[in-house]
């Protein structure tokens, strides 16, 4: 690293709290070095109440861009100068590009990364009918991106908890922003009969909940009887690499069974391209950091 640092080295960063576990610095710095880009990427632990101070400092220091993790995603979206269409609908951003004049544009790459991971496994969302479980940050970003990328129908299911209202708001935003979508609905995850009926008519099932993640690793978010061979099944959970849902989808002969680790790679690759205008050496990054 010290051999690459010069008086012209551009700084990129990650903010949020905690950030010590993040793999982003390793991914981004490896890619800078591999492509010969004079840049460095550091992680800064920034609590929510210090978000504005961090952005002010980045403007002063002419940082080229930065990623955002919890709990700062929503606050950053409210502080930047512009938002991409997807980030505006989600109401949060995880990637910010800083222009030379200090103008900040916020993006959300979670949905882009997830859709790219589907594509890498031969699954397209255009004109497809999707059942999406969950209304958290990742699930919301996926719903928005799938709609923008031409999904014909999206049925969102969530428990009637404190996040259900967020799902209802997401549905309304998508209806207004993407009037071409044939159907976008919000549904109760406890209605197992309706859930199974919708999956039977769908092309893609996406789990955007914590089901399958430790300590819920023995939990299936849907009944295995709902799965069918024409269905592509994808999970946002990446630890374990193969969730119970993905494993069961393989056993049931679903046309695709996709774990969440690729989303992690491709959302980082999307951020790298926004920062540099170049493609991350994604295959090498996958082999070095994810296998």
């Amino acid at each position: 690293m010290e051999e690459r640092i010069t008086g012209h080295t551009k700084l990129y960063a990650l903010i949020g709290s905690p950030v010590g576990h993040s793999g982003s610095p390793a991914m981004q710095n490896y890619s800078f070095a591999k492509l010969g880009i004079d840049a460095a990427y550091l992680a800064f632990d920034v609590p929510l109440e210090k978000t504005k101070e961090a952005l002010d400092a980045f403007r002063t220091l002419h940082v080229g861009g930065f990623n955002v993790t919890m709990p700062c995603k929503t606050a950053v979206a409210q502080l930047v100068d512009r938002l991409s269409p997807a980030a505006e609908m989600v109401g949060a951003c995880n990637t910010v590009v800083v222009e030379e004049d200090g103008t900040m544009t916020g993006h959300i790459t979670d949905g882009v990364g997830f859709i790219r991971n589907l594509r890498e496994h031969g699954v397209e969302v255009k004109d497809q009918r999707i059942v999406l479980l969950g209304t958290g940050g990742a699930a919301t970003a996926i719903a928005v991106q799938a709609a923008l990328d031409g999904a014909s129908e999206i049925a969102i299911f969530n428990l009637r908890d404190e996040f259900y209202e967020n799902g209802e708001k997401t549905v309304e935003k998508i209806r207004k922003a993407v009037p071409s979508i044939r159907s976008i609905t919000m549904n109760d995850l406890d209605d197992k009969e309706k859930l199974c009926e919708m999956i039977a008519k769908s092309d893609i099932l996406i789990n955007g909940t914590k089901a399958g993640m430790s300590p819920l690793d023995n939990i299936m978010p849907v009944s295995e009887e709902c799965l069918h061979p024409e269905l592509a099944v994808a999970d946002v959970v990446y630890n374990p690499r193969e969730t119970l849902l993905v494993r069961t989808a393989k056993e049931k002969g679903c046309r695709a069974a996709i774990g969440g680790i690729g989303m992690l790679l491709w959302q980082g690759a999307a951020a790298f391209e926004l920062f540099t205008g170049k493609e991350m050496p994604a295959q090498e990054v996958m082999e070095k950091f994810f296998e």
Side-chain angles (χ1 to χ4, degrees):
M1 172 66 77
E2 64 276 7
E3 295 175 0
R4 292 200 297 113
I5 300 298
T6 73
H8 300 284
T9 301
K10 199 75 173 176
L11 177 63
Y12 294 87
L14 168 69
I15 64 169
S17 186
V19 293
H21 66 286
S22 175
S24 293
M27 286 173 57
Q28 300 289 344
N29 283 314
Y30 175 85
S31 300
F32 289 148
K34 191 71 181 178
L35 298 183
I37 297 171
D38 190 6
Y41 187 105
L42 296 175
F44 297 99
D45 197 296
V46 176
L48 178 61
E49 65 272 15
K50 297 285 187 178
T51 305
K52 184 180 183 304
E53 292 178 34
L55 268 63
D56 289 342
F58 285 166
R59 281 192 174 95
T60 300
L61 296 172
H62 299 289
V63 168
F66 56 97
N67 290 124
V68 189
T69 189
M70 296 301 289
C72 303
K73 291 184 176 183
T74 302
V76 168
Q78 296 167 351
L79 291 167
V80 297
D81 303 294
R82 295 190 296 252
L83 290 171
S84 71
E88 188 166 0
M89 276 195 279
V90 174
C93 56
N94 72 338
T95 303
V96 177
V97 176
V98 186
E99 308 295 341
E100 288 297 327
D101 64 359
T103 300
M104 292 185 171
T105 303
H107 302 263
I108 185 83
T109 66
D110 290 334
V112 172
F114 189 88
I115 301 301
R116 176 63 184 271
N117 191 37
L118 292 183
R119 186 173 298 122
E120 290 295 315
H121 288 83
V123 178
E124 298 288 343
V125 301
K126 184 173 174 57
D127 299 324
Q128 298 291 285
R129 296 161 297 181
I130 298 173
V131 169
L132 171 63
L133 312 179
T135 58
T140 300
I142 291 165
V144 166
Q145 196 62 48
L148 290 172
D149 286 356
S152 65
E153 299 177 18
I154 304 174
I156 302 173
F157 283 81
N158 198 76
L159 297 174
R160 286 191 175 274
D161 56 16
E162 66 271 24
F163 297 106
Y164 193 87
E165 185 179 353
N166 182 60
E168 292 177 317
K169 290 178 180 177
T170 299
V171 165
E172 288 306 312
K173 287 178 182 178
I174 291 174
R175 281 179 181 154
K176 290 178 182 178
V178 191
S180 59
I181 193 166
R182 191 161 58 200
S183 174
I184 172 83
T185 59
M186 186 67 211
N187 308 272
D188 188 351
L189 187 57
D190 275 336
D191 190 342
K192 304 302 182 186
E193 184 176 347
K194 184 175 183 181
L195 174 60
C196 217
E197 287 176 0
M198 294 299 293
I199 293 173
K201 297 185 293 184
S202 292
D203 306 295
I204 304 172
L205 169 65
I206 300 170
N207 175 42
T209 74
K210 293 181 179 180
M213 181 190 303
S214 182
L216 307 175
D217 41 345
N218 290 320
I219 300 296
M220 275 275 289
V222 299
S223 170
E224 66 177 273
E225 283 73 29
C226 300
L227 306 182
H228 55 86
E230 293 78 24
L231 190 68
V233 177
D235 212 323
V236 301
V237 176
Y238 60 87
N239 187 15
R241 294 291 179 90
E242 186 176 88
T243 61
L244 180 57
L245 174 63
V246 170
R247 186 164 67 251
T248 304
K250 288 180 179 178
E251 293 169 354
K252 296 281 285 187
C254 293
R255 66 184 175 101
I258 306 166
I261 193 66
M263 176 185 176
L264 206 60
L265 169 68
W266 290 111
Q267 63 86 20
F272 184 85
E273 188 166 351
L274 286 167
F275 292 154
T276 67
K278 300 179 184 298
E279 288 190 13
M280 175 182 278
Q283 188 58 43
E284 293 178 46
V285 171
M286 173 65 85
E287 293 170 359
K288 187 172 181 64
F289 299 105
F290 294 95
E291 292 184 353

